[in-house]
């Protein structure tokens, strides 16, 4: 850390030089700028640089290195462990950089590093185009993509990294680098799942796909119907097309007009079937679920970008999540999953989720560092609550889900679905051999491990 006199002069010069805003702890807007999606995280950076351009990002990295400040990078700020913030360091806040440029002729889109999923989806919707995005609209595109990228469209269009065409990066020494299939290909490979370890992504270029229609069915059942619902859903996914996705979600009945009043605040089992196509095709797929007695339903066509906003989680709630990727979904596991749904803390915002994989995920490029690609299903205990008094109970429940489904785990995991669970889980999210290769790329682009507030890969020369 630099002496205070030097730091003060450097900060004044930094404020004058940056096109964006620079916030220190005494500045108006500082507390709002450091708030994260997970209300359990309370950290106080020394400086928050709200960057307006790639040049601002370069200046910020050089400022942080000059003063020997720890550097965190903020895109969406959705990481459950609060990786976008640090204590006493610099936060490079990309959120002002959220421009999206659609190239419909080449079916590609350039997205700045601070864009949210809503920026991307709203920009592509008028062209009838889309790419695999997160399952809520407030997720940051950069962290989502570089971490692998799983969403409602991945069975049809592949993981987000399967659609990554190029990345514009600021590295740990403040240099700018471009990575693509022909330019810095080893770095480009590393960015397919290696996250923010290699630099700050100021822009990403993604492949788009035609999506003229999108539809969704949400059917709500009493929890005792859960095992039958899951078995029916399993059959629909097994025999249906890759356009079909969604999940089974145990949740607290929300105060919505489509939920009967007597079920608000009570445990429910929801079958969510998304379909990259029209309502008629969806209804055919959903027929077995529609025939099963249920308490409420929504079956409708709607724009994909609109659906992306429907399941947004309230900001600043307390969060703890994890995941296990599964070898299959035998009847015994169905029963275990449903039993765990019946122990989920209610009423809270917590969800107990079972996602289908397969389709274009399984057939995508095998060389990228995403070892969970061949798993057909994933369990995602998603703890969300408001009262700190519920901390212990909700965290314990998430851990119990992981423990109970462990016999069916592949051992691999999608890192965007977990927090800080130790080095072994980082390796599980990348693959052991991939981790060694990634460590060599890290040593080339970030030998001092400047970018370490992430699922970290320690630099090891190859």
């Amino acid at each position: 850390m630099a002496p205070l006199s030097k730091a003060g002069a450097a900060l004044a010069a930094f404020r004058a030089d940056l096109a964006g805003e620079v916030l220190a702890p005494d500045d108006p807007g500082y507390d709002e700028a450091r708030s994260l999606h997970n209300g359990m995280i309370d950290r106080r950076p020394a400086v928050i640089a709200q960057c307006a351009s790639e040049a601002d990002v370069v200046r910020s990295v050089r400022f942080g290195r000059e003063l020997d400040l720890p550097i965190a990078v903020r895109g969406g700020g959705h990481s459950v462990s609060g990786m976008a913030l640090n204590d006493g360091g610099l936060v490079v806040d990309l959120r002002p950089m959220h421009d999206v440029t659609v190239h419909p002729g080449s079916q590609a889109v350039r997205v700045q590093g601070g864009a949210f999923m809503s920026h991307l989806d709203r920009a592509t919707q008028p062209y009838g185009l889309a790419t695999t995005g997160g399952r809520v609209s407030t997720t940051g595109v950069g962290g989502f993509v570089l971490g692998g990228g799983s969403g409602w469209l991945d069975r049809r269009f592949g993981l987000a990294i399967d659609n990554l065409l190029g990345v514009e990066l600021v590295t740990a020494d403040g240099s700018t680098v471009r990575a693509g299939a022909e330019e810095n290909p080893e770095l480009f490979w590393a960015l397919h799942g290696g996250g923010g370890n290699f630099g700050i992504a100021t822009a990403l270029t993604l492949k788009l796909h035609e999506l003229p229609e999108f539809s969704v069915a949400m059917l709500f059942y009493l929890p005792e119907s859960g095992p039958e619902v899951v078995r029916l859903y399993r059959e629909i996914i097994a025999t249906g097309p890759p356009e079909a996705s969604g999940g089974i979600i145990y949740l607290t009945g929300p105060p919505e007009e489509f939920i009967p009043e007597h079920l608000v605040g009570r445990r429910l089992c929801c079958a969510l079937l998304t379909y990259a196509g029209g309502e008629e095709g969806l209804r055919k797929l959903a027929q077995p679920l529609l025939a099963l007695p249920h308490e409420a339903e929504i079956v409708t066509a709607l724009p994909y970008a609109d659906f992306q906003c429907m399941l947004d989680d309230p900001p600043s709630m307390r969060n703890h999540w994890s995941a296990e990727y599964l070898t299959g979904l035998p009847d015994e596991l169905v029963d275990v999953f449903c039993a765990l749904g019946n122990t989920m803390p209610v009423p809270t915002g917590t969800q107990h989720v079972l996602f289908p994989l397969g389709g274009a995920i399984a057939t995508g490029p095998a060389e990228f560092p995403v070892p969970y690609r061949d798993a057909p299903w994933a369990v995602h205990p998603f703890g969300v609550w408001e009262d700190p008094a519920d901390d212990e109970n909700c965290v314990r429940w998430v851990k119990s889900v992981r423990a109970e489904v462990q016999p069916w785990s592949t051992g691999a995991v999608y890192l965007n679905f977990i927090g800080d669970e130790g080095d072994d889980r980082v390796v599980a999210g990348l693959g052991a051999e991939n981790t060694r290769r990634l460590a060599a790329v890290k040593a080339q682009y970030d030998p001092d491990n400047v970018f370490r507030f992430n699922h970290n890969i320690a630099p090891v020369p190859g």
Side-chain angles (χ1 to χ4, degrees):
M1 187 75 66
L4 287 178
S5 59
K6 180 184 177 183
L11 179 59
F14 186 44
R15 288 186 191 274
D17 199 31
L18 210 72
E21 295 293 319
V22 176
L23 299 175
D26 292 335
D27 291 332
Y30 170 83
D31 283 329
E32 182 180 359
R34 71 182 183 91
S35 66
L36 291 177
H37 181 74
N38 187 355
M40 297 179 77
I41 309 298
D42 182 18
R43 296 183 185 142
R44 297 186 65 84
V47 184
I48 300 173
Q50 297 186 316
C51 297
S53 65
E54 181 183 72
D56 273 3
V57 176
V58 169
R59 292 184 187 103
S60 298
V61 170
R62 291 176 179 172
F63 168 79
R65 297 301 303 273
E66 178 186 347
L67 271 65
D68 195 25
L69 292 172
I71 300 175
V73 182
R74 176 168 188 157
H78 258 247
S79 151
V80 69
S81 55
M83 294 173 180
L85 286 189
N86 58 31
D87 280 313
L90 168 68
V91 172
V92 179
D93 188 345
L94 301 175
R95 285 177 294 172
M97 302 171 55
H98 53 70
D99 287 350
V100 178
T101 306
V102 181
H103 302 283
S106 56
Q107 292 196 344
V109 59
R110 181 181 181 272
V111 187
Q112 284 192 307
F116 290 0
M117 209 56 61
S118 56
H119 295 121
L120 170 59
D121 295 332
R122 293 295 181 194
T124 60
Q125 184 80 52
Y127 301 97
L129 298 171
T131 194
T132 299
R135 291 179 172 88
V136 294
S137 70
T138 53
T139 302
V141 175
F144 167 79
V145 173
L146 299 182
S150 169
W152 307 121
L153 299 176
D154 54 12
R155 283 174 37 84
R156 178 65 181 90
F157 300 138
L159 298 170
I161 52 169
D162 299 340
N163 296 285
L164 184 60
L165 301 175
V167 182
E168 300 163 36
L169 210 67
V170 174
T171 59
D173 63 358
S175 300
T176 58
V177 174
R178 304 293 182 265
E182 304 297 329
E183 188 175 12
N184 297 306
E186 186 69 359
L187 173 61
F188 189 54
W189 170 83
L191 294 169
H192 285 73
N197 273 283
F198 312 101
I200 302 175
T202 56
L204 304 94
T205 301
L206 302 167
K207 181 180 179 182
L208 294 173
H209 304 267
E210 293 184 4
L211 187 67
E213 293 184 284
F214 187 81
S215 49
V216 59
M218 298 179 71
L219 290 87
F220 296 86
Y221 304 84
L222 296 177
E224 50 265 35
S225 298
E228 186 174 3
V229 173
V230 175
R231 287 174 171 84
L232 286 174
Y233 191 92
R234 180 182 62 185
E235 181 65 18
I236 289 170
I237 293 297
T239 58
E243 284 81 2
S245 189
I248 299 293
I249 309 171
Y250 278 79
L251 77 171
T252 298
E256 301 285 354
E257 61 181 24
F258 54 83
I259 297 293
E261 187 175 351
H262 71 283
L263 294 178
V264 172
R266 289 183 54 187
R267 188 188 322 274
L268 295 172
C269 176
C270 172
L272 169 62
L273 194 61
T274 62
Y275 184 62
E279 183 179 341
E280 183 180 353
L282 170 69
R283 284 190 175 274
K284 290 179 181 177
L285 284 172
Q287 192 53 47
L289 292 168
L290 289 164
L292 189 67
H294 51 282
E295 305 301 309
E297 70 175 65
I298 300 172
V299 184
T300 186
L302 78 171
Y304 169 69
D306 288 357
F307 176 68
Q308 283 286 70
C309 303
M310 286 179 60
L311 302 181
D312 285 355
D313 306 303
S316 301
M317 297 284 281
R318 303 175 79 78
N319 282 253
H320 185 79
W321 346 305
S322 193
E324 289 293 337
Y325 279 64
L326 307 172
T327 57
L329 190 59
D331 285 344
E332 184 181 359
L333 177 53
V334 170
D335 293 339
V336 168
F337 172 80
C338 294
L340 288 164
N342 288 321
T343 66
M344 185 187 78
V346 170
T348 66
T350 296
Q351 298 179 2
H352 181 43
V353 187
L354 178 70
F355 286 124
L357 285 82
I361 305 169
T363 59
E367 68 269 19
F368 296 145
V370 285
Y372 50 85
R373 191 184 285 279
D374 59 348
W377 294 89
V379 168
H380 184 31
F382 192 84
V384 180
W385 65 100
E386 189 170 9
D387 189 344
D390 291 330
D391 285 2
E392 183 178 351
N393 186 34
C394 290
V395 170
R396 181 174 58 242
W397 175 78
V398 170
K399 292 180 177 179
S400 75
V401 173
R402 275 200 64 203
E404 291 295 322
V405 304
Q406 200 65 44
W408 297 276
S409 174
T410 67
V413 68
Y414 172 40
L415 292 178
N416 283 354
F417 272 177
I418 71 170
D420 183 1
E421 297 183 4
D423 293 343
D424 288 348
R425 283 282 270 177
V426 175
V427 174
L430 300 169
E433 185 57 41
N434 290 329
T435 301
R436 286 187 283 271
R437 183 176 168 188
L438 289 163
V441 181
K442 176 78 168 180
Q444 179 179 353
Y445 289 94
D446 185 13
D448 300 320
N449 203 11
V450 171
F451 301 120
R452 60 184 179 273
F453 295 95
N454 45 41
H455 289 109
N456 195 236
I457 300 164
V460 178

